[in-house]
C-alpha cells in the first residue's frame, strides 16, 4: 500500500462524481472524500510502523522525469490536512444549491487530487504539474459558481489565474535550470547540487515569486480578497484552507533546502516581509465591510506570521509553521462556513446588515465565538500552539520580531471581536434567523473538536512532522 | 500527611464540569437547579482546596503534578502540570471561597434573567480558568488561565449582549488585556531563551544558583511581565477597561473585577518574586506606577456618582497600593492586602448590587439616599466593609493598608505621602458613597420608594459572611505576629530573616494613617450628612471637578491617539494602498502588453526591415570582433 492510492481514490472519485449525475453527486463526492481520509489514516499508521509508503517509477526517459511520490511526516501531515478538510468542505456545501452540481463536486475532488499530489510529489516536474493542475478546478469553481456581478467576478478570477500562473513560470524556469545541472529533477538529486551563491539567489527569487503570489505575501496579495469574496464558499475554503498551504509547504520542502545560502543571507528581509503582512493584513481587516473579505485579510495576516517563522530557518520556526498551517486550515474553513451559514439565512455578507443573531441562534453564536477565539489563538486551541511556537522562533532571532509579529494577538482580537459584535450581538434583528441544521452543527463541532484536541495534545502531530523537518534543516545547514 | 493528588484534579475539573452541565443542559434543568449546580461545583473546589490547605505544611516544596507533555520547543518541553504550594493554595482558598459566596448570591440576584443558566456556566468557566491560572506549574499553563479569565470577563461584561455599549466595554476589556498579554508573552519568550524552561520551580533554581546571570535581559523580561500584570490588574496606563467593565452584572464585578481576576498580576509577580528581586530598576517602576495609579484612581473616585464606578475606581486605587508594596519587595504585604481587599471589596460590590436590585437597576447615587432603614443588613455590612477599606483600626483593612504605608515610609517618603493621600481620599469617597446611599432623604421616584425592601437571605447571607471576614481578616497578619508571613516563608524565603518590631516610628505612622482616615470620613460626614449636599447634575459640574468627573479625559485621549489613528490608517490602507498595489501589478501587465504590442509591429513581414536589421546586426558583430582584438 502506498500513497498513490490516495491520488487514485480522489481522481476516480472526481470522475465517479461527475458520472453519478446532479442528484447523487454530493453524496458520491462525500463518499470518496471520506474514503481518501480513511485511506490516509491507514497510510499514516503504516508510516508510523516504519513501512515504506512511497511510490517511485520512471515516467519519461528523456528528459529524465520520474513519477515520484514520497511521503515523509511533513507530506503526510499536509496530506491529512487535505483529506480531512475535503469531506468537511463537501458537507458544508450540502446546504447550498449549486446548479450542475455533478461538475461542482467533481471539481472539488479534482482540486483535492491536485493539491494532494503537490504535497506528495518529489520530482520537480511532477510537482510543478500538480501545482499548476490545482489552478484549473479552482478557476472554474470561482468563475462558474461564484457570486456577485459576472463581469467583475470574471475580471477578478482571470486576474488571479494569470497572476499565479505567471509567478509559477519563474519556478518552472528555475527547475529547468537545475535540471540542466543535475540531469534529474528528483529532490534527492537536486539536494546534491552544488549551486553557487549567485545561482541560489536567482533560484530562490524565482521560487519566491511563485510562492509569494500563491500564499500570498504582501505586496503580492492583491488578487486574494476579491477572489475570496467572489468565489463560492467551498472555493474560498479550498483556497484558504488548503491551497495557500501549498505555497508555505513548498517554501519548506523546495525553496529553503535547495537554496540555503540565499535563504540564510536574505532571511531577515523575508522575515520582515512576513511580519509586515501580519501588521498590514490586520490593519486592513479592521475596516472591512464584507465578512469574507475581512476573513481574507485575517488570513493574510496569519500566513504572514507563518512565512516569517519559516524563514527563521530554525526547528521551532518550521515546526510552528506546519502546526499553524494545519490549525489555520481548520479554523479558516470553520469561519468561512459560518459566513456561509449566515448568508443562507440573511442573503448578505455585509457585516452591518447582520446583528442580533445571538438571541435567535445561541448555538451558532457559541460555535462562532469559539472559532473566533481559536483564530486569535486563545490557549487550549490548536492555533495557540502554532502561534506560540512561531512567535517563540521569532524571539530567538530578534525579540523585536516577536513583538511586531505579536501585535497580531492585539490587532487580531480587535478586528475579530469587532466583527463578531456587529455580526452576532446587539438588538434582535427583524429578519428571522433559523437555527443551525444538524449537518451545519455537526460540521462545526467536528472542526472545533479538532482544534481543541490538538490544542491540548499536539504531541502526535509534533512527533509526526519533527523528523522530516530536522532532515530538511540538516539539508539547509549542510556545509558545501 | 500524604496528599492524594487526584483531589487536585477534582479541584480543577469540578467547575469545568459545572460549566459543561450548565451550558448544555442548563436551560432544561431550570433556574434553581442550574444555580445550585453552579454553586456546588465551586464549593467542591473549595473543599478540595481546604483539604490541601490542611496538609500543605508537611510539603514545604509544594506538591507538583505533571499530567502530560503539552508544547514542544526545540530546547525544552512545557508540560501540562500543576503546582500546589502555599501561594497557590492561599489564592485558591479565597478564589473558591468568595467564588462560592458570589455564586450563592447570584442564584437570587440573577433569578429574573432568562439566561441565568448561561450566567452560571460562564461564572463556573471563570472559576475553572482562575484555578488554572493559580495552579499552573509553569508560565504557559498559567497563561491558559490568564487568557481564559480574560475570555470569561469578556463574556460576562457583555452578558446583556443586546446593548452594544456593554459589548463595547467587553471588547475594550479584552483588547486592553491583550496588550498586556503581549507583554507577558514577550517576558515568557525571553525567559525561555535565557533559561530553556518556563517551569516556576526550575526557573527559581536556575535564577538562584546561576552565577553569570544576564541581568540586562532579565530586567527586560521582568518589565515585559509587569506590562502583562498592568493589563490584568488595571494599572496605569492599561486601567481604563476596568471602570467600563462595570457594565457586567454586579456579581461579576464583585468576583472578577474586584476580588479575583484583577489580582492575577499580583499573583504572577509574587510567584516570580525571585526574578523581580534581581531587577531593582523594574521594582522601582512597579512601585511608582502602583503609587500613581493609587492616587489617580482615588482622585477620580472622589467625584463619581455611579455607585459601581466609585467602587471600580476604588478597586483600581487599591490595586495600585498592592503594586506599590510589590515594587518595594514586600510581596507578603501585597498578598495580605489582596486578601483583605477581596473580603471588603466583594462585600461592597455585593452590597451595591443589593441596593441596585432594590432600586430596580438604579446606579446613580444622586437618586438614592435614606436606604439604611429599609435595608439594614445591606447598610451594616457595607458600613463594616467601608470602615475596613478606610483603615479604621481593628478592621482588616487597617492592618493590611497600614503595612503598605509603613513599608513605603521605610523605603521612600514621597511614595509614602502619595499612598497616604490616596488612603485619605479613599476614606472620603467611600463614606461619600455610604452617606449618599444610606443617609439623607430618599431621592428616587415614589414608585421605587414604595417598593424599597431588604434583599432576600440568599443575598444578605454572603454579605454577612463577607462583612465578618472584612472585620476579622486582619488576624492572619497581626503586627508583631504574622501567621501569613510564617505561612508564606517557603515562597518568600526572605521573610524568615525579616524582623518584625514595632517601634515608636511605627506607632506614629499608624496614628497618622488613622487620623487621616478619620479626617476623610469627617469631611464626608460634614458635607453629606451635616450639610445634606447632593452632587450636582452633570451639566453643573465645573472646574477641576469636571476634569475628574470625566476621568482626566484619558478615554478620549486614548481614543484619539490609538483607536482613531489606527482606524484612519486602516481606511487609508483599504482605500488607497490596496488600490495602488493592485494598479501596480496591473501596470506591470500593461507594460508587458505594451512591449508585446510594439514588438508585434516589428514582426510585420516586411522583408526590407528584416534585412535592414540583419545587416545592422552583422555590422555590430563584426565591429565588436574587430574592436575586441
Amino acid at each position: 500500500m502506498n500513497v498513490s492510492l490516495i491520488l487514485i481514490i480522489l481522481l476516480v472519485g472526481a470522475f465517479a462524481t461527475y458520472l453519478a449525475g446532479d442528484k447523487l453527486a454530493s453524496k458520491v463526492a462525500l463518499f470518496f472524500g471520506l474514503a481518501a481520509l480513511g485511506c490516509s489514516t491507514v497510510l499514516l499508521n503504516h508510516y508510523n510502523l516504519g513501512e515504506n509508503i512511497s511510490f517511485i517509477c520512471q515516467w519519461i526517459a528523456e528528459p529524465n522525469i520520474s513519477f515520484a511520490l514520497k511521503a515523509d511526516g511533513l507530506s503526510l501531515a499536509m496530506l491529512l490536512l487535505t483529506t480531512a478538510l475535503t469531506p468537511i468542505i463537501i458537507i458544508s456545501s450540502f446546504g447550498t444549491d449549486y446548479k450542475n452540481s455533478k461538475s461542482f463536486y467533481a471539481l472539488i475532488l479534482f482540486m483535492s487530487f491536485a493539491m494532494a499530489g503537490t504535497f506528495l510529489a518529489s520530482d520537480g516536474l511532477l510537482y510543478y504539474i500538480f501545482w499548476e493542475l490545482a489552478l484549473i478546478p479552482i478557476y472554474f469553481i470561482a468563475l462558474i459558481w461564484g457570486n456577485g456581478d459576472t463581469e467583475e467576478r470574471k475580471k477578478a478570477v482571470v486576474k488571479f489565474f494569470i497572476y499565479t500562473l505567471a509567478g509559477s513560470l519563474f519556478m518552472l524556469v528555475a527547475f529547468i535550470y537545475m535540471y540542466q545541472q543535475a540531469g534529474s529533477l528528483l529532490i534527492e538529486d537536486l539536494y546534491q547540487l552544488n549551486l553557487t551563491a549567485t545561482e541560489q539567489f536567482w533560484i530562490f527569487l524565482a521560487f519566491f515569486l511563485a510562492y509569494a503570489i500563491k500564499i500570498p505575501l504582501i505586496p503580492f496579495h492583491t488578487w486574494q480578497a476579491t477572489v475570496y469574496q467572489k468565489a463560492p464558499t467551498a472555493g474560498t475554503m479550498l483556497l484558504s484552507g488548503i491551497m495557500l498551504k501549498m505555497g508555505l509547504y513548498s517554501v519548506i520542502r523546495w525553496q529553503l533546502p535547495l537554496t540555503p545560502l540565499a535563504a540564510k543571507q536574505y532571511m531577515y528581509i523575508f522575515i520582515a516581509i512576513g511580519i509586515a503582512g501580519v501588521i498590514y493584513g490586520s490593519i486592513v481587516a479592521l475596516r472591512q465591510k464584507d465578512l469574507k473579505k475581512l476573513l481574507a485579510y485575517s488570513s493574510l495576516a496569519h500566513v504572514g506570521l507563518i512565512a516569517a517563522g519559516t524563514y527563521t530557518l530554525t526547528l521551532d520556526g518550521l515546526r510552528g509553521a506546519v502546526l499553524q498551517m494545519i490549525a489555520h486550515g481548520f479554523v479558516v474553513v470553520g469561519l468561512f462556513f459560518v459566513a456561509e451559514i449566515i448568508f443562507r439565512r440573511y442573503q448578505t455578507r455585509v457585516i452591518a446588515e447582520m446583528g442580533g443573531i445571538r438571541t435567535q441562534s445561541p448555538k451558532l453564536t457559541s460555535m462562532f465565538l469559539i472559532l473566533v477565539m481559536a483564530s486569535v489563538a486563545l490557549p487550549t486551541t490548536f492555533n495557540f500552539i502554532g502561534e506560540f511556537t512561531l512567535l517563540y522562533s521569532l524571539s530567538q532571532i530578534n525579540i523585536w520580531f516577536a513583538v511586531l509579529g505579536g501585535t497580531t494577538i492585539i490587532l487580531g482580537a480587535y478586528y475579530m471581536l469587532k466583527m463578531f459584535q456587529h455580526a452576532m450581538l446587539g438588538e434582535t434583528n427583524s429578519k428571522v434567523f433559523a437555527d443551525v441544521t444538524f449537518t451545519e452543527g455537526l460540521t462545526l463541532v467536528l472542526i472545533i473538536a479538532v482544534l481543541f484536541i490538538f490544542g491540548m495534545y499536539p504531541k502526535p502531530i509534533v512527533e509526526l512532522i519533527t523528523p522530516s523537518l530536522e532532515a530538511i534543516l540538516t539539508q539547509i545547514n549542510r556545509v558545501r | 500527611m500524604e496528599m492524594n493528588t487526584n483531589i487536585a484534579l477534582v479541584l480543577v475539573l469540578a467547575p469545568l464540569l459545572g460549566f459543561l452541565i450548565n451550558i448544555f443542559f442548563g436551560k432544561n434543568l431550570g433556574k434553581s437547579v442550574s444555580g445550585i449546580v453552579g454553586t456546588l461545583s465551586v464549593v467542591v473546589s473549595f473543599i478540595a482546596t481546604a483539604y490541601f490547605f490542611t496538609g500543605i505544611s508537611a510539603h514545604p516544596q509544594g506538591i507538583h503534578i505533571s499530567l502530560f507533555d503539552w508544547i514542544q520547543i526545540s530546547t525544552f518541553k512545557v508540560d501540562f502540570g500543576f503546582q500546589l504550594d502555599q501561594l497557590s493554595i492561599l489564592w485558591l482558598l479565597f478564589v473558591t471561597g468568595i467564588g462560592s459566596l458570589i455564586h450563592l448570591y447570584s442564584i437570587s440576584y440573577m433569578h429574573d434573567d432568562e439566561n441565568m443558566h448561561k450566567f452560571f456556566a460562564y461564572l463556573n468557566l471563570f472559576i475553572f480558568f482562575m484555578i488554572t491560572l493559580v495552579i499552573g506549574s509553569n508560565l504557559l499553563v498559567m497563561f491558559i488561565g490568564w487568557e481564559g479569565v480574560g475570555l470569561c470577563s469578556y463574556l460576562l461584561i457583555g452578558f446583556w449582549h443586546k446593548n452594544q455599549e456593554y459589548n463595547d466595554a467587553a471588547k475594550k476589556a479584552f483588547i486592553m488585556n491583550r496588550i498586556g498579554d503581549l507583554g507577558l508573552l514577550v517576558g515568557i519568550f525571553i525567559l525561555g531563551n535565557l533559561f530553556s524552561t518556563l517551569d516556576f520551580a526550575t526557573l527559581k533554581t536556575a535564577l538562584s544558583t546561576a552565577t553569570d546571570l544576564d541581568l540586562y535581559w532579565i530586567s527586560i523580561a521582568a518589565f515585559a511581565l509587569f506590562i502583562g500584570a498592568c493589563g490584568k490588574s488595571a494599572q496605569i496606563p492599561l486601567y481604563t477597561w476596568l471602570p467600563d467593565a462595570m457594565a457586567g452584572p454586579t456579581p461579576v464585578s464583585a468576583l472578577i473585577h474586584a476580588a479575583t481576576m484583577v489580582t492575577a498580576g499580583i499573583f504572577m509577580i509574587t510567584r516570580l518574586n525571585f526574578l523581580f528581586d534581581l531587577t531593582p530598576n523594574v521594582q522601582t517602576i512597579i512601585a511608582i506606577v502602583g503609587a500613581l495609579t493609587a492616587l489617580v484612581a482615588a482622585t477620580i473616585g472622589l467625584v463619581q456618582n455611579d455607585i459601581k464606578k466609585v467602587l471600580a475606581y476604588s478597586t483600581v486605587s487599591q490595586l495600585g497600593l498592592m503594586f506599590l508594596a510589590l515594587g518595594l519587595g514586600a510581596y507578603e504585604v501585597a498578598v495580605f492586602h489582596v486578601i483583605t481587599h477581596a473580603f471588603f471589596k466583594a462585600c461592597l460590590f455585593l452590597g451595591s448590587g443589593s441596593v441596585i436590585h432594590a432600586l430596580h437597576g438604579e446606579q446613580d447615587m444622586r437618586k438614592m439616599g435614606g436606604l439604611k432603614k429599609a435595608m439594614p443588613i445591606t447598610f451594616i455590612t457595607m458600613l463594616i466593609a467601608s470602615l475596613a477599606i478606610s483603615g479604621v483600626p481593628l478592621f482588616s483593612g487597617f492592618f493590611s493598608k497600614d503595612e503598605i504605608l509603613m513599608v513605603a515610609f521605610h523605603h521612600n517618603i514621597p511614595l509614602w505621602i502619595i499612598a497616604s493621600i490616596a488612603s485619605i481620599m479613599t476614606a472620603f469617597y467611600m463614606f461619600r458613597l455610604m452617606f449618599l446611599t444610606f443617609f439623607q432623604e430618599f431621592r428616587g421616584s415614589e414608585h421605587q420608594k414604595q417598593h424599597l425592601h431588604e434583599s432576600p437571605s440568599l443575598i444578605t447571607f454572603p454579605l454577612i459572611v463577607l462583612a465578618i471576614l472584612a472585620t476579622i481578616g486582619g488576624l492572619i497578619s497581626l503586627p508583631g505576629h504574622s501567621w501569613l508571613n510564617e505561612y508564606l516563608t517557603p515562597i518568600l524565603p526572605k521573610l524568615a530573616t525579616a524582623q518584625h518590631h514595632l517601634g515608636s516610628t511605627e506607632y506614629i505612622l499608624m496614628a497618622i494613617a488613622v487620623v487621616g482616615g478619620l479626617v476623610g470620613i469627617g469631611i464626608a460626614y460634614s458635607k453629606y450628612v451635616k450639610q445634606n449636599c447632593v452632587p450636582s447634575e452633570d451639566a453643573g459640574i465645573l472646574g477641576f471637578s469636571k476634569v475628574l468627573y470625566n476621568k482626566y479625559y484619558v478615554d478620549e485621549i486614548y481614543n484619539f491617539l490609538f483607536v482613531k489613528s489606527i482606524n484612519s490608517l486602516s481606511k487609508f490602507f483599504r482605500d488607497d494602498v490596496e488600490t495602488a498595489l493592485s494598479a501596480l501589478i496591473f501596470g506591470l501587465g500593461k507594460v508587458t502588453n505594451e512591449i508585446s504590442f510594439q514588438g508585434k509591429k516589428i514582426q510585420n513581414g516586411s522583408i526590407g526591415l528584416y534585412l535592414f536589421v540583419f545587416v545592422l546586426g552583422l555590422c555590430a558583430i563584426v565591429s565588436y570582433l574587430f574592436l575586441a582584438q
Side-chain angles (χ1 to χ4, degrees):
Chain A
M1 192 165 173
N2 64 57
V3 284
S4 63
L5 190 60
I6 307 270
L7 297 184
I8 293 166
I9 292 175
L10 289 169
L11 190 60
V12 170
F15 285 109
T17 305
Y18 186 77
L19 295 174
D22 285 340
K23 272 195 179 155
L24 282 172
S26 58
K27 284 165 194 86
V28 175
L30 180 62
F31 171 78
F32 279 95
L34 288 173
L37 175 61
C39 184
S40 33
T41 40
V42 173
L43 278 170
L44 175 71
N45 199 27
H46 282 268
Y47 175 79
N48 282 337
L49 292 170
E51 288 170 33
N52 181 15
I53 53 169
S54 298
F55 173 80
I56 297 179
C57 72
Q58 182 79 27
W59 186 21
I60 306 167
E62 188 56 44
N64 181 11
I65 304 294
S66 308
F67 197 94
L69 302 172
K70 208 176 113 198
D72 59 358
L74 173 61
S75 290
L76 272 177
M78 301 314 293
L79 182 70
L80 278 164
L81 174 72
T82 312
T83 53
L85 284 180
T86 305
I88 288 180
I89 293 171
I90 292 169
I91 299 180
S92 74
S93 309
F94 281 11
T96 310
D97 268 334
Y98 291 107
K99 58 180 187 327
N100 193 4
S101 68
K102 61 178 194 291
S103 315
F104 179 77
Y105 286 104
L107 283 171
I108 291 181
L109 280 181
F110 186 71
M111 171 102 181
S112 182
F113 157 77
M115 293 189 293
T118 312
F119 292 131
L120 291 170
S122 73
D123 180 281
L125 191 74
L126 185 66
Y127 157 77
Y128 181 77
I129 289 169
F130 277 125
W131 170 275
E132 294 291 40
L133 209 53
L135 205 51
I136 294 164
I138 191 64
Y139 172 77
F140 286 112
I141 289 174
L143 196 65
I144 299 172
W145 289 275
N147 47 61
D149 177 65
T150 320
E151 276 309 305
E152 268 180 43
R153 182 169 80 229
K154 205 166 155 186
K155 216 170 122 187
V157 175
V158 169
K159 177 179 164 189
F160 157 67
F161 188 83
I162 292 176
Y163 199 5
T164 48
L165 192 72
S168 309
L169 284 175
F170 289 98
M171 179 166 80
L172 182 62
V173 172
F175 272 126
I176 292 171
Y177 183 82
M178 283 188 285
Y179 178 79
Q180 287 171 341
Q181 310 279 312
S184 152
L185 278 174
L186 274 179
I187 197 161
E188 297 84 9
D189 296 331
L190 296 181
Y191 276 6
Q192 298 308 318
L193 275 178
N194 283 314
L195 297 168
T196 66
T198 325
E199 287 172 318
Q200 289 201 17
F201 171 73
W202 290 107
I203 293 171
F204 181 91
L205 215 59
F207 276 125
F208 181 75
L209 273 177
Y211 301 152
I213 292 171
K214 193 75 125 199
I215 292 173
L217 297 176
I218 60 161
F220 304 99
H221 65 280
T222 46
W223 62 266
Q224 186 186 28
T226 26
V227 173
Y228 277 27
Q229 183 198 17
K230 306 280 178 205
T233 302
T236 318
M237 290 172 173
L238 286 167
L239 279 166
S240 60
I242 319 175
M243 195 178 191
L244 69 80
K245 275 78 186 181
M246 279 168 44
L248 293 161
Y249 161 85
S250 301
V251 172
I252 299 175
R253 171 72 75 200
W254 296 92
Q255 189 190 26
L256 300 181
L258 289 180
T259 59
L261 290 178
K264 278 178 191 165
Q265 194 172 354
Y266 299 104
M267 59 183 271
Y268 286 92
I269 297 174
F270 293 95
I271 293 175
I273 290 176
I275 291 176
V278 174
I279 298 170
Y280 182 81
S282 302
I283 292 179
V284 184
L286 212 52
R287 294 281 294 261
Q288 293 302 319
K289 294 167 189 152
D290 183 296
L291 180 52
K292 280 177 88 180
K293 267 187 142 177
L294 183 142
L295 294 175
Y297 282 106
S298 133
S299 209
L300 181 66
H302 282 117
V303 295
L305 190 63
I306 300 177
T310 310
Y311 284 113
T312 62
L313 312 178
T314 59
L315 180 59
D316 289 325
L318 297 185
R319 190 157 50 197
V322 179
L323 292 171
Q324 183 70 342
M325 275 190 235
I326 302 170
H328 177 260
F330 280 95
V331 86
V332 84
V333 165
L335 288 168
F336 277 118
F337 187 38
V338 174
E340 177 70 12
I341 291 173
I342 296 173
F343 184 79
R344 281 172 192 167
R345 287 150 178 83
Y346 279 179
Q347 305 299 316
T348 183
R349 294 194 175 85
V350 180
I351 297 166
E353 291 169 10
M354 303 171 185
I357 296 175
R358 179 167 169 169
T359 347
Q360 301 197 50
S361 178
K363 271 185 225 155
L364 177 70
T365 312
S366 303
M367 290 190 282
F368 191 22
L369 184 64
I370 294 174
L371 290 169
V372 165
M373 286 297 152
S375 166
V376 301
L378 203 80
T380 69
T381 63
F382 195 15
N383 304 65
F384 173 71
I385 312 278
E387 204 163 288
F388 177 81
T389 319
L390 284 170
L391 289 173
Y392 188 86
S393 76
L394 289 174
S395 81
Q396 288 172 314
I397 305 291
N398 186 321
I399 193 74
W400 286 106
F401 282 148
V403 174
L404 290 173
T407 52
T408 181
I409 76 165
I410 303 165
L411 295 172
Y414 190 9
Y415 65 74
M416 287 306 273
L417 286 184
K418 191 175 166 192
M419 175 276 287
F420 181 78
Q421 179 184 348
H422 294 291
M424 308 305 279
L425 309 180
E427 277 300 329
T428 308
N429 202 309
S430 51
K431 290 180 269 185
V432 177
F433 193 95
D435 211 349
V436 281
T437 65
F438 176 75
T439 342
E440 289 168 342
L442 181 73
T443 316
L444 288 174
V445 166
L446 284 175
I447 292 172
I448 288 169
V450 169
L451 294 173
F452 274 127
I453 289 170
F454 292 116
M456 285 306 289
Y457 200 64
K459 206 174 173 183
I461 298 186
V462 169
E463 284 178 351
L464 174 66
I465 61 175
T466 302
S468 16
L469 294 178
E470 278 169 345
I472 286 171
L473 271 175
T474 318
Q475 176 61 26
I476 292 174
N477 293 319
R478 193 167 65 108
V479 185
R480 1 189 141 210
Chain B
M1 181 169 142
E2 199 52 45
M3 311 255 48
N4 186 344
T5 49
N6 288 332
I7 293 180
L9 287 180
V10 175
L11 197 170
V12 178
L13 295 178
L16 184 65
L17 188 68
F19 161 74
L20 293 172
I21 293 173
N22 264 325
I23 201 84
F24 288 117
F25 314 108
K27 196 140 206 167
N28 304 327
L29 289 176
K31 287 180 174 176
S32 303
V33 179
S34 150
I36 290 166
V37 168
T39 310
L40 276 182
S41 66
V42 186
V43 172
V44 167
S45 284
F46 178 70
I47 294 168
T49 310
Y51 164 78
F52 284 106
F53 179 69
T54 55
I56 194 64
S57 57
H59 300 265
Q61 298 304 313
I63 300 160
H64 297 258
I65 304 160
S66 177
L67 296 176
F68 51 85
D69 291 344
W70 184 35
I71 293 182
Q72 173 88 51
I73 295 292
S74 52
T75 46
F76 59 93
K77 266 188 217 160
V78 180
D79 65 350
F80 202 96
F82 299 147
Q83 174 176 4
L84 277 154
D85 59 4
Q86 287 75 8
L87 186 66
S88 49
I89 290 172
L90 187 68
W91 233 270
L92 289 175
L93 269 182
F94 76 81
V95 166
T96 55
I98 295 179
S100 303
L101 289 173
I102 292 175
H103 276 70
L104 198 63
Y105 176 99
S106 305
I107 296 179
S108 170
Y109 192 85
M110 297 300 287
H111 206 269
D112 296 334
D113 197 287
E114 52 174 345
N115 289 317
M116 180 170 154
H117 65 288
K118 276 198 180 159
F119 184 80
F120 274 94
Y122 297 160
L123 273 192
N124 277 176
L125 188 66
F126 167 77
I127 296 280
F128 164 72
F129 279 123
M130 192 68 209
I131 292 174
T132 312
L133 190 161
V134 171
I135 210 174
S137 70
N138 59 58
L139 279 160
L140 276 195
V141 176
M142 186 195 81
F143 193 68
I144 295 180
W146 191 274
E147 293 263 284
V149 291
L151 168 66
C152 297
S153 168
Y154 169 80
L155 289 170
L156 285 162
I157 296 170
F159 186 73
W160 290 309
H161 50 82
K162 288 184 188 172
N163 185 330
Q164 289 289 25
E165 268 178 41
Y166 295 177
N167 293 329
D168 283 335
K171 187 176 65 187
K172 178 175 174 183
F174 194 85
I175 294 164
M176 284 200 102
N177 267 290
R178 279 231 144 182
I179 298 174
D181 294 351
L182 177 58
L184 185 61
L185 270 182
V186 168
I188 290 175
F189 294 147
I190 298 175
L191 290 180
N193 281 321
L194 287 176
F195 302 106
S196 292
T197 182
L198 297 177
D199 195 72
F200 292 122
T202 327
L203 270 178
K204 190 173 184 175
T205 321
L207 277 160
S208 51
T209 54
T211 47
D212 54 338
L213 285 174
D214 187 344
L215 284 176
Y216 172 75
W217 280 108
I218 290 177
S219 302
I220 293 182
F223 182 71
L225 294 170
F226 168 61
I227 295 176
C230 281
K232 198 108 282 173
S233 297
Q235 296 296 293
I236 290 174
L238 298 177
Y239 69 97
T240 57
W241 65 269
L242 184 61
D244 288 20
M246 297 301 124
T250 308
V252 173
S253 313
L255 178 64
I256 301 185
H257 304 118
T260 56
M261 183 184 85
V262 289
T263 67
I266 295 147
F267 171 81
M268 187 258 290
I269 292 177
T270 309
R271 176 55 93 205
L272 293 169
N273 63 81
F274 47 86
L275 174 81
F276 285 88
D277 274 340
L278 293 173
T279 59
N281 294 338
V282 178
Q283 285 185 310
T284 311
I285 296 173
I286 297 176
I288 294 172
V289 168
L292 286 181
T293 307
L295 184 67
V296 168
T299 55
I300 300 173
L302 293 175
V303 297
Q304 297 304 309
N305 293 325
D306 180 318
I307 189 168
K308 285 182 75 181
K309 281 273 158 72
V310 176
L311 292 175
Y313 279 103
S314 161
T315 304
V316 176
S317 174
Q318 296 294 311
L319 290 166
L321 290 180
M322 297 170 206
F323 273 80
L324 171 63
L326 289 177
L328 300 173
Y331 306 98
E332 71 287 356
V333 177
V335 172
F336 184 26
H337 201 56
V338 164
I339 293 168
T340 59
H341 177 256
F343 296 152
F344 55 66
K345 192 51 70 60
C347 183
L348 286 167
F349 264 117
L350 294 186
S352 75
S354 173
V355 168
I356 295 166
H357 203 62
L359 298 179
H360 308 289
E362 185 56 72
Q363 296 187 193
D364 192 332
M365 295 190 295
R366 287 171 293 198
K367 293 177 185 145
M368 298 179 181
L371 295 178
K372 68 177 181 222
K373 275 192 200 119
M375 311 182 72
I377 302 176
T378 306
F379 168 63
I380 291 169
T381 50
M382 280 186 83
L383 180 65
I384 292 171
S386 298
L387 290 167
I389 194 176
S390 304
V392 171
L394 304 182
F395 291 94
S396 61
F398 163 72
F399 297 101
S400 54
K401 186 186 282 185
D402 205 53
E403 282 201 40
I404 295 178
L405 291 176
M406 270 189 215
V407 172
F409 182 83
H410 286 302
H411 278 82
N412 188 312
I413 301 288
L415 289 180
W416 172 74
I417 295 173
I418 294 176
S420 299
I421 295 174
S423 299
I424 296 168
M425 288 180 175
T426 306
F428 170 78
Y429 65 65
M430 281 315 303
F431 275 85
R432 175 175 174 268
L433 181 152
M434 290 303 293
F435 294 143
L436 283 175
T437 311
F438 293 101
F439 288 69
Q440 303 182 346
E441 287 299 305
F442 183 65
R443 296 180 293 275
S445 67
E446 269 308 306
H447 173 77
Q448 283 172 328
K449 195 172 180 179
Q450 276 158 11
H451 289 82
L452 284 181
H453 57 278
E454 181 58 280
S455 298
S457 53
L458 272 178
I459 286 184
T460 51
F461 173 72
L463 283 176
I464 294 167
V465 175
L466 286 166
I468 293 171
L469 290 170
T471 313
I472 62 168
L475 290 176
I476 61 170
S477 182
L478 293 171
H481 179 79
S482 169
W483 167 85
L484 182 69
N485 290 9
E486 272 173 41
Y487 172 81
L488 286 175
T489 309
I491 308 291
L492 303 166
K494 274 192 196 161
L495 282 174
T497 54
Q499 293 189 355
H500 297 277
H501 63 85
L502 282 173
S504 52
T505 328
E506 279 71 21
Y507 284 114
I508 293 170
L509 287 177
M510 224 181 261
I512 295 174
V514 170
V515 170
L518 292 176
V519 166
I521 298 173
I523 298 172
Y525 181 78
S526 77
K527 194 166 177 193
Y528 299 106
V529 180
K530 276 273 175 69
Q531 301 171 25
N532 259 327
C533 278
V534 176
S536 46
E537 289 305 308
D538 287 0
I541 302 171
L542 297 167
F544 191 62
S545 299
K546 194 176 173 190
V547 177
L548 289 181
Y549 189 65
N550 288 303
K551 306 134 194 171
Y552 297 105
Y553 300 99
V554 173
D555 276 322
E556 285 75 9
I557 294 167
Y558 282 3
N559 211 13
F560 177 76
L561 281 182
F562 304 111
V563 182
K564 280 244 172 71
S565 58
I566 201 164
N567 273 293
S568 3
L569 190 65
S570 174
K571 193 165 179 291
F572 171 66
F573 281 175
R574 183 193 69 193
D575 295 344
D576 299 333
V577 179
E578 283 292 280
T579 324
L581 283 177
S582 197
L584 189 73
I585 301 299
F586 263 117
L588 280 181
K590 282 213 181 94
V591 169
T592 321
N593 225 342
E594 190 62 22
I595 292 172
S596 72
F597 183 71
Q598 296 298 337
K600 200 168 72 182
K601 283 185 191 159
I602 303 170
Q603 301 181 8
N604 59 359
S606 150
I607 308 290
L609 182 69
Y610 289 177
L611 274 174
F612 177 70
V613 174
F614 170 71
V615 172
L616 212 66
L618 204 64
C619 290
I621 293 169
V622 171
S623 42
Y624 172 76
L625 290 174
F626 182 72
L627 287 172
Q629 279 176 352

